[in-house]
Amino acid sequence: MITVVVADDEPMVCAHLRTILGSAGDIEVLAQAADGAEAVEAVVRHRPDVVLMDLRMPGVDGLTAIARITALPDPPAVVALTTFDADTYVVRALRAGAAGFLVKSTPPEDLIGLVRVAADGHTVLSPSATRRLVALSSGGHARSDEARRRTQPLTDRERDVLTCLGEGLSNADIAARLHLAEATVKSYVSRMLVKLDCSNRTQAGLLAHEAGLVG
C-alpha cells in the first residue's frame, strides 16, 4: 500500500485528491494539511511514502515545508502541486528537494500513476518540463559554471548515467542504453547523489541540464 499525505490550503482540492487517490486499491491518503507546518507534523506522525505539497499556502509555505521534510531521516518523496505548468516557484521547490511536480489539472488516471512513480523513487517530471524549468531558473552563467564544477569529479560512466537522468530515463532504461545491469545503475545513481550533494534524482537531472550534459 502506498501511503500519502496531501497538503493544500483549499479544502476542495484536498477532498478532490483524496477521492481520486482513494479510488486506487493500492493508495491510501493518511492525512491532509492546510499549511506547511501541518504538513511537516503529518509526515513526522504518519511517515508516508509520498507527500503532495501545494507551494503557495498561508503561514509556512510549501517551499519551506519541502526543505524541512527532505531534511528528515529517510524522507518521503515530495511532489509539488502547482496551478501552472512551469514557473519559478517550481524551480525553487525542486532545488529544495522536491521529487517533481504535478499540475492540479492533471487527469485522475495520470495522477494515480504519477503517485506510484514517485513512491518508486522516480522523477515526476518530463524532460520537456525540465528544459523549461532550467530556462526559467535564475543565475544563468554562474549557475552553469557551478554545475560544471560539481560534475567534474564524475567518472565517464557516471557522467553517462547523469546524462540519462537528465533525459528522465528510469533505471531500467538507463541499463538498456548503457548495457549495464539495473543493480549496477542503482549503485551508480546512489554514488552520484552523494558526490553531487543532490537529495534525489530530480535535482541530479536538473544539474545535468545546467552543466550542459543534456542537449
Side-chain angles (χ1 to χ4, degrees), residues 4-194:
V4 179
V5 165
V6 175
D8 196 295
D9 62 320
E10 297 183 25
M12 288 292 290
V13 172
C14 286
H16 178 65
L17 293 173
R18 289 191 80 130
T19 299
I20 293 172
L21 297 177
S23 68
D26 60 339
I27 300 175
E28 179 183 4
V29 178
L30 299 177
Q32 63 187 59
D35 69 4
E38 287 185 13
V40 175
E41 291 175 4
V43 168
V44 172
R45 183 181 310 115
H46 297 287
R47 307 302 299 174
D49 300 308
V50 177
V51 179
L52 300 182
M53 179 76 71
D54 185 26
L55 296 181
R56 296 172 174 85
M57 293 184 289
V60 177
D61 65 14
L63 293 172
T64 302
I66 289 170
R68 291 179 183 176
I69 290 170
T70 55
L72 294 171
D74 192 23
V78 184
V79 178
L81 292 174
T82 178
T83 305
F84 306 102
D85 193 333
D87 64 10
T88 54
Y89 261 78
V90 174
V91 174
R92 292 167 63 190
L94 298 176
R95 300 204 189 288
F101 78 94
L102 290 173
V103 179
K104 291 184 180 181
S105 58
T106 298
E109 61 276 12
D110 292 343
L111 174 65
I112 291 170
L114 290 169
V115 166
R116 290 173 179 147
V117 167
D120 283 339
H122 297 302
T123 300
V124 185
L125 195 67
S126 70
S128 60
T130 304
R131 287 192 288 272
R132 289 197 301 276
L133 291 169
V134 170
L136 282 169
S137 90
S138 60
H141 295 300
R143 191 173 288 281
S144 295
D145 290 344
E146 172 65 12
R148 284 191 288 269
R149 182 193 65 77
R150 289 171 62 186
T151 58
Q152 192 167 5
L154 299 180
T155 66
D156 289 343
R157 182 55 87 189
E158 287 171 340
R159 194 177 297 269
D160 291 340
V161 173
L162 180 61
T163 300
C164 291
L165 288 183
E167 294 177 14
L169 300 185
S170 67
N171 286 347
D173 291 335
I174 296 172
R177 175 181 291 187
L178 301 181
H179 308 291
L180 298 170
E182 191 169 347
T184 303
V185 173
K186 290 180 181 179
S187 296
Y188 273 121
V189 172
S190 296
R191 287 201 303 270
M192 279 194 310
L193 293 181
V194 174

